[in-house]
Each structure stands twice: as structure tokens, then as C-alpha cells.
Amino acid sequence: MKAAGEPGTPAAGASAVLPAEPWLSPEWIHSTARCAEMKQRLAAARMAPAALYALLYTLAASWGRFFREVAGLEIRPPAGMVYRYEAMQWIDATSAEVRQAMGRSTHSEEVVEAVMKSVHLIHEELGGEMTAQEAARRVHMSRSHFSECFKAIVGCTFNEYLRKVRMAKAEEFLIHTDKPVQWIAEKTGYLDEKYFRRTFREVTGLLPSEYRQVRKQGGAVSPDGGDK
């Protein structure tokens, strides 16, 4: 299949550009059948090498965020790419690596896929009022079964993971923007600014304003809170 990158065959010139959104959600990567379907769609698009590499780079960053937290797995984009078949090789290798890392789960492929979809929902709708009940409904599982499977696969409860992601995003906003604390609280799903401040201090040992000052002065925050 030359368009998909028969070894030694350079990729064709200008081509279609696939939107990244259908690929960003990580649940498909656990299914060999869906992985093959996505690869087929990618091959049919006949993307130019630059556009294809940009897509893979975006995917590596997005998937890395999920699987670093869930499985301690680092996902890196390909070092370089000349032929389309190299993109297919990267997708195969990455999906196999993810499935191996998640292989400790005794749950079915469908359940792992549903839980990973809920993880994607947390990241995509961080500023909303996402709950375990709502996430379970959207992945078509009962609340009790979902909560049990989520903890077994991810390693913590839904609410613990949600707070972890929210706090990580809040830290990012505090370090890289000058947005007020109220804005950051709202963007990370906390309508009550006082509750956000209290929660942030419980996690980091510092109030948001203190954390911002320490980090912008080049300090580091110890895992048990406080600066050093």
C-alpha cells in the first residue's frame, strides 16, 4: 500500500488533513479492531508528511497526558518521519505499548475502553460539573460498577482523580498565566473560590497566590506542601 507507506516509497505531496479530535480520546487504542479501522482511515486520507507528523505529535502529547497518570507510561512522538509507513509503525508500537502497560487489568477490553473514555471526559470538560454519576451515564455503566472499575484500572477513585487533574491544571494556570485566582477556580471546575483555595492548600501546602509567587521566583514546592 504505497499511499500508506510501502517501505522505500516516499509519501505523496499535498493531501487531506484529518482532524485530530477523533484520535485524541484514548479509548480506541485498547481495541485492535478499532485501531486497525483508524489506521485505515489515516491511510485513505493520504496526508502530506508534515501534516501527518503534526497529527502524531498532537496525539503523543494528548495520550501521554492520560497514560502517564494512569499507567506511568511516557509516550513520545516519532523522532522524525519521511514515509507514511513510519506513522503506521509508530501507531502500532504505541498502541501495543499501551495495551501491555494496561494489561494488568482483569477487566474486559470494553470496560477498559469505557473507563479511558471517562478519563478523556474529565480532561475535556474540566471546567464543568463532572461527577462519577454523569461519567458513568455517558459511558453506559451503572454508577457502582463504574466506580469499582475506575478505581481498579486507574488506581484511585473518580473523585480523587478529578481533584488531581484539577489541581494540576490550576498549578499550570498559576505558573504560566497572570489570571486571577477566581478565574482559575472557575476554569478548573470550582464555582466556590474559597473552597478552591482551601482544596489547593490541602494539596500543595500553599494558597494559590503563595504558590504562584514561589514558582515565579524560581522556587519548588515539596510534595508535602511548602516551598524549598
Side-chain angles (χ1 to χ4, degrees):
M1 184 169 61
K2 294 182 183 298
E6 187 174 281
T9 304
S15 54
V17 176
L18 285 179
E21 287 76 10
W23 294 75
L24 293 179
S25 184
E27 67 268 16
W28 68 268
I29 206 170
H30 298 281
S31 168
T32 53
R34 291 186 65 187
C35 184
E37 178 185 345
M38 295 292 275
K39 285 171 56 184
Q40 187 174 21
R41 290 173 56 189
L42 185 61
R46 297 178 59 85
M47 297 174 68
L52 183 53
Y53 183 80
L55 174 63
L56 299 187
Y57 194 92
T58 300
L59 297 183
S62 179
W63 295 343
R65 178 180 62 186
F66 300 124
F67 296 116
R68 184 183 307 112
E69 297 169 352
V70 174
L73 181 64
E74 292 290 337
I75 295 180
R76 296 180 176 83
M81 195 188 71
V82 178
Y83 306 107
R84 286 198 185 99
Y85 81 91
E86 294 172 307
M88 302 302 178
Q89 288 179 335
W90 182 84
I91 291 174
D92 284 338
T94 300
S95 59
E97 189 176 11
V98 168
R99 286 195 292 270
Q100 182 178 8
M102 300 295 293
R104 64 181 183 275
S105 174
T106 59
H107 295 83
S108 68
E109 186 177 90
E110 290 75 15
V111 168
V112 174
E113 184 177 329
V115 168
M116 292 312 301
K117 181 176 182 178
S118 73
V119 170
H120 181 70
L121 290 173
I122 288 176
H123 286 270
E124 290 301 301
E125 303 180 21
L126 196 57
E129 298 182 21
M130 181 62 67
T131 63
Q133 179 69 38
E134 173 64 11
R137 182 189 69 79
R138 291 175 66 174
V139 298
H140 310 292
M141 296 175 68
S142 70
R143 163 66 187 276
S144 58
H145 186 49
F146 171 77
S147 296
E148 177 186 343
C149 293
F150 190 98
K151 185 173 184 179
I153 293 170
V154 178
C156 61
T157 67
F158 179 89
N159 288 334
E160 289 170 343
Y161 184 80
L162 178 61
R163 186 172 84 157
K164 176 182 177 181
V165 174
R166 283 175 167 171
M167 290 296 101
K169 191 63 177 179
E171 291 178 20
E172 181 182 325
F173 280 138
L174 288 166
I175 296 171
H176 299 294
T177 77
D178 293 318
K179 296 292 186 180
V181 172
Q182 181 179 357
W183 182 92
I184 294 174
E186 293 175 355
K187 289 296 182 180
T188 53
Y190 293 94
L191 300 181
D192 186 334
E193 183 183 345
K194 291 182 178 179
Y195 180 67
F196 167 73
R197 291 176 184 270
R198 184 166 66 250
T199 302
F200 191 88
R201 187 171 188 175
E202 288 175 0
V203 173
T204 67
L206 296 171
L207 290 170
S209 57
E210 296 171 336
Y211 181 92
R212 170 177 273 165
Q213 183 177 12
V214 168
R215 292 304 303 271
K216 288 197 171 184
Q217 290 176 347
V221 179
S222 62
D224 57 347
D227 60 288
K228 60 180 181 179

